[in-house]
């Protein structure tokens, strides 16, 4: 056991846990004779995934595309609003109740509204994905800006720094780790928003496929959709973590960075 | 009345909550002087510093720094000359070094050059050459040679405080404001930094206002020590410190030095005792506001 480094050991164990989970699932389904209308076995799902991939793939791309566009708009809007309310105490206090109210609306409730405005299809899905990802970005950017030490602000103000100087040199870099922490949340939420809108009103995307499949009691197909969604979610999360480490490594105090 | 480089005239300051931090405070500091403010905690030492820096406006009275009114209520600026005097170059250092963690030490020290005129206009051009050399020379003077490329979290508290002093000095300020800059350090580091501070001051002769609660520190560094009363703060006594420079650690154990520290200590003990019985008076005047940047 001692021959393995802790990192390798951790990886091996988590891979074992993952494989073990599916093996257990398979075995339980076989042992109790669970119908594939209730809970299909992983091997059946894998079979469907491989067989139906030509059909599923365009829908997966559509879901990814919608998520990215919605996420990009959401983050952009979130940064603008966050900087706006985070750089002024007054703006923060005034708009905070509005933001809380806005964010408390269950986003599934606004999808029908988007459909009325823009018709069924890609646009309401992009909008849902955008709206759902704005709030965490706004809150984190505003909090990051507000966390500037007052002493440091004094040092800069005494030098004659303008508000813009302080924002640019201190506020924005200080808010970066907060922004990236929120991106990880936002990308997952965007994904949820997309699938949500697709299940309600769309003719493309994994969400639509799953809706139609469940209508036909094609449960293995529903699970195949779920698997695809999970895989895409993990990849998106991984990408945003990677970007975060690249950009805000200074906030994580790693020893390997110290050597470089 | 002759006007000093820094002049506080009958200054009163009340915070938003109604607490009177300073009352009838008058203090003059000559150009190139080194003045220390000592007193019981909460007596308004840091408030004086912030007034001089222009971070606070006095509720009443006038604060003039370098011939320019820093902020006053109910009085006009003292003539066209005062209004036109250029902004004083000020360096500020606190107990907490507040380095920006995403920048190297060199980049941190360079921040004032990025903001203060006339350095600002040439910053993009000179940051790799002249300014870099200037920062490195300054870092070497405080014993941080070769640490310019390190990140703040790789340095100890004492080293960060040295870097913080460099940041306060890099733009050659005419006025240096120090708010307990060595307060969080251990005894040995502190004494080492006294020496560094003294030689930096002797080489450049900026006007220095040092707020401290360490009486030995005030006697070691300052030309003049102002003892303040408990809140509301007032300057009770001003002592000239005539010891020859450069002062050394050995000289700080000389009998005259010990006597001075002892006298200061007694004076502050008295101030604390007197201050306890008198509640701060409440007068109806508008609350002060922080000066907008």
């Amino acid at each position: 056991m001692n021959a393995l480094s802790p990192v390798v050991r951790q990886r091996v164990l988590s891979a074992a846990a993952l494989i073990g989970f599916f093996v257990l699932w398979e075995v339980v389904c076989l042992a109790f004779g669970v119908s594939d209308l209730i809970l299909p076995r992983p091997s059946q799902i894998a079979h469907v995934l491989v067989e139906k991939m030509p059909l599923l793939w365009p829908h997966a791309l559509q879901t990814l595309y919608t998520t990215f566009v919605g996420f990009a708009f959401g983050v952009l809007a979130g940064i603008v609003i966050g900087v706006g309310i985070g750089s002024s105490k007054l703006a923060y206090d005034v708009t905070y109740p509005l933001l809380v109210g806005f964010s408390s609306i269950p986003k599934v409730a606004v999808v029908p509204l988007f459909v009325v405005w823009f018709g069924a299809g890609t646009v309401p899905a992009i909008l849902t994905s955008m709206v759902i990802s704005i709030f965490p970005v706004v809150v984190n950017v505003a909090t990051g800006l507000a966390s500037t030490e007052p002493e440091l602000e004094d040092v800069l103000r005494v030098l004659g720094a303008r508000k813009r100087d302080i924002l640019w040199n201190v506020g924005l870099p200080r808010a970066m780790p907060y922004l990236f922490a929120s991106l990880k949340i936002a990308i997952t939420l965007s994904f949820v928003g997309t699938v949500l809108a697709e299940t309600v009103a769309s003719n493309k995307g994994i969400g639509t496929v799953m809706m139609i499949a469940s209508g036909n009691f094609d449960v293995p197909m529903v699970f195949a959709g779920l698997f695809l969604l999970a895989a895409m979610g993990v990849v998106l999360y991984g990408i945003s973590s990677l970007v975060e480490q690249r950009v805000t490594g200074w906030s994580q105090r790693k020893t390997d960075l110290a050597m470089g | 009345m002759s006007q000093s480089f820094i002049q506080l005239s009958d200054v009163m300051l009340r915070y938003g909550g109604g607490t009177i931090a300073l009352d009838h405070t008058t203090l003059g500091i000559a150009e190139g002087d080194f003045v220390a403010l000592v007193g019981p905690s909460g007596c308004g030492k840091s408030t004086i510093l912030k007034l001089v820096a222009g971070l606070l406006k006095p509720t009443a009275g006038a604060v003039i720094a370098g011939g320019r009114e820093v902020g006053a209520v109910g009085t006009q600026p003292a003539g066209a000359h005062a209004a036109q005097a250029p902004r004083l170059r000020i360096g500020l250092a606190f107990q907490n070094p507040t380095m920006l963690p995403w920048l190297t030490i060199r980049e941190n020290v360079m921040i004032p050059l990025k903001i203060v005129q006339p350095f600002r206009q040439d910053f993009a051009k000179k940051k790799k050459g002249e300014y870099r050399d200037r920062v490195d020379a300054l870092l070497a003077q405080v014993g941080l040679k070769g640490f310019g490329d390190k990140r703040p979290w790789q340095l100890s508290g004492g080293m960060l405080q040295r870097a913080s002093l460099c940041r306060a000095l890099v733009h050659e300020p005419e006025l240096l404001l120090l708010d307990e800059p060595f307060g969080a350090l251990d005894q040995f580091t502190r004494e080492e930094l006294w020496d560094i501070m003294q030689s930096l001051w002797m080489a450049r002769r900026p006007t220095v206002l040092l707020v401290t609660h360490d009486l030995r520190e005030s006697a070691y560094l300052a030309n003049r020590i102002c003892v303040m009363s408990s809140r509301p703060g007032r300057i009770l006594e001003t002592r000239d410190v005539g010891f020859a420079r450069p002062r050394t650690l050995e000289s700080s154990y000389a009998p005259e030095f010990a006597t001075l520290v002892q006298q200061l200590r007694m004076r502050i003990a008295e101030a604390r005792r007197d201050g306890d019985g008198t509640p701060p008076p409440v007068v109806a005047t508008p609350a002060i506001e922080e000066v907008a940047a």
Side-chain angles (χ1 to χ4, degrees):
Chain A
M1 272 316 253
N2 290 336
L4 294 174
S5 78
V7 180
V8 174
R9 212 171 118 187
Q10 187 206 326
R11 295 228 170 114
V12 167
L13 283 177
S14 53
L18 197 68
I19 294 165
F21 172 75
F22 288 116
V23 169
L24 189 70
W25 179 351
E26 186 87 27
V27 167
V28 167
C29 283
L30 280 173
F32 294 95
V34 181
S35 153
D36 65 357
L37 267 178
I38 308 293
L39 183 66
R41 283 175 279 125
S43 57
Q44 289 173 307
I45 298 166
H47 182 71
V48 171
L49 262 179
V50 173
E51 197 171 87
K52 298 281 173 65
M53 200 36 112
L55 181 115
L56 285 168
W57 189 239
H59 290 286
L61 284 183
Q62 167 72 17
T63 300
L64 267 184
Y65 163 77
T66 311
T67 304
F68 271 128
V69 176
F71 172 71
F73 280 122
V75 169
L76 217 65
I79 291 175
V80 170
I81 300 172
V83 169
I85 68 170
S87 50
S88 142
K89 174 105 174 64
L90 184 71
Y92 190 86
D93 292 342
V94 168
T95 53
Y96 199 73
L98 198 70
L99 275 172
V100 172
F102 181 70
S103 75
S104 327
I105 299 171
K107 301 303 174 294
V108 65
V110 296
V111 180
L113 201 59
F114 287 150
V115 174
V116 171
W117 287 344
F118 303 101
T122 312
V123 179
I126 288 179
L127 281 177
T128 314
S129 154
M130 168 182 166
V131 161
I132 207 170
S133 60
I134 287 180
F135 193 70
V137 178
V138 170
V139 169
N140 273 38
V141 170
T143 311
L145 285 178
S147 70
T148 306
E149 298 105 321
E151 288 178 339
L152 188 59
E153 229 180 303
D154 282 352
V155 168
L156 294 175
R157 274 172 58 194
V158 161
L159 294 171
R162 283 167 288 185
K163 243 194 146 79
R164 193 153 41 91
D165 292 328
I166 297 179
L167 183 71
W168 193 250
N169 286 306
V170 182
L172 289 182
R174 166 80 68 218
M176 275 303 182
Y178 291 84
L179 171 66
F180 279 99
S182 77
L183 290 193
K184 283 196 288 193
I185 302 168
I187 189 79
T188 326
L189 284 176
S190 270
F191 203 48
V192 170
T194 303
V195 175
L196 194 76
E198 282 173 357
T199 54
V200 175
S202 186
N203 46 13
K204 275 187 279 180
I206 296 291
T208 312
V209 170
M210 286 170 64
M211 272 312 276
I212 295 170
S214 69
N216 296 335
F217 293 100
D218 187 356
V219 180
M221 188 65 162
V222 175
F223 272 89
L226 272 181
F227 267 65
L228 263 182
L229 289 180
M232 289 192 283
V234 168
V235 170
L236 291 179
Y237 184 89
I239 291 172
S240 43
S241 296
L242 215 70
V243 175
E244 179 186 17
Q245 274 174 18
R246 275 294 167 90
V247 179
T248 60
W250 59 265
S251 68
Q252 301 179 358
R253 307 196 176 204
K254 286 240 181 73
T255 34
D256 52 13
L257 236 154
M259 296 302 119
Chain B
M1 186 181 87
S2 72
Q3 189 174 294
S4 306
F5 183 62
I6 304 294
Q7 183 71 52
L8 280 80
S9 315
D10 203 18
V11 167
M12 199 268 267
L13 187 125
R14 177 214 308 273
Y15 279 108
T19 313
I20 294 183
L22 290 177
D23 201 10
H24 299 295
T25 304
T26 298
L27 170 68
I29 304 174
E31 191 157 8
D33 207 355
F34 197 133
V35 174
L37 280 176
V38 298
S41 82
C43 70
K45 303 185 292 269
S46 300
T47 306
I48 290 190
L49 200 101
K50 285 188 172 177
L51 281 167
V52 173
L55 293 167
L56 288 174
K57 266 187 193 166
T59 314
V63 180
I64 286 164
R68 187 179 195 261
E69 190 126 15
V70 174
V73 175
T75 49
Q76 291 297 312
H81 172 72
Q84 276 165 12
R87 193 189 179 101
L88 202 59
R89 268 214 299 273
I90 300 176
L92 195 58
F94 290 102
Q95 180 172 340
N96 180 350
T98 60
M99 293 281 131
L100 299 175
W102 57 89
L103 298 178
T104 62
I105 294 298
R106 183 184 297 114
E107 289 164 335
N108 264 295
V109 173
M110 234 182 240
I111 287 173
L113 301 180
K114 205 168 168 180
I115 288 170
V116 178
Q117 291 291 6
F119 306 102
R120 186 191 181 113
Q121 59 204 26
D122 298 330
F123 185 76
K125 210 168 22 174
K126 295 187 179 167
K127 68 177 168 189
K128 293 256 166 65
E130 189 189 325
Y131 290 175
R132 188 191 160 101
D133 296 342
R134 177 204 286 247
V135 169
D136 285 354
L138 199 55
L139 285 173
Q141 261 179 311
V142 301
L144 285 180
K145 196 179 165 89
F147 283 92
D149 289 315
K150 298 278 186 207
R151 304 271 163 179
W153 39 270
Q154 295 173 273
L155 270 60
S156 68
M159 290 161 114
L160 287 176
Q161 203 55 56
R162 289 163 207 240
S164 170
L165 276 182
C166 289
R167 187 180 61 190
L169 284 166
V170 72
H171 55 300
E172 284 168 3
E174 299 146 274
L175 175 63
L176 185 58
L177 301 173
L178 304 172
D179 193 348
E180 292 180 17
F182 315 121
L185 305 176
D186 64 275
Q187 185 76 30
F188 302 110
T189 314
R190 197 182 305 167
E191 284 166 354
E192 204 182 327
L193 282 178
W194 291 351
D195 262 342
I196 288 171
M197 189 63 239
Q198 179 174 244
S199 48
L200 285 172
W201 179 75
M202 287 174 73
R204 294 152 186 263
R205 293 280 167 163
T207 310
V208 183
L209 180 59
L210 166 75
V211 164
T212 179
H213 48 215
D214 184 335
L215 300 175
R216 282 188 63 223
E217 179 172 305
S218 69
Y220 194 100
L221 286 173
N223 287 341
R224 218 143 52 86
I225 300 173
C226 299
V227 182
M228 291 186 65
S229 68
S230 292
R231 199 165 51 219
R234 197 172 317 182
I235 289 163
L236 288 180
E237 189 179 330
T238 301
R239 292 287 300 259
D240 286 314
V241 186
F243 307 136
R245 288 189 192 266
R247 297 168 193 165
T248 59
L249 211 52
E250 291 78 57
S251 77
S252 82
Y253 288 102
E256 320 77 273
F257 194 98
T259 311
L260 174 66
V261 171
Q262 167 75 5
Q263 283 167 348
L264 288 169
R265 180 149 292 153
M266 298 311 285
R267 198 73 184 85
I268 287 173
E270 242 171 76
R272 287 184 62 180
R273 207 170 45 242
D274 296 344
D276 284 344
T278 49
V282 177
V283 194
T285 32
I288 63 107
E289 287 162 23
E290 292 237 345
V291 182

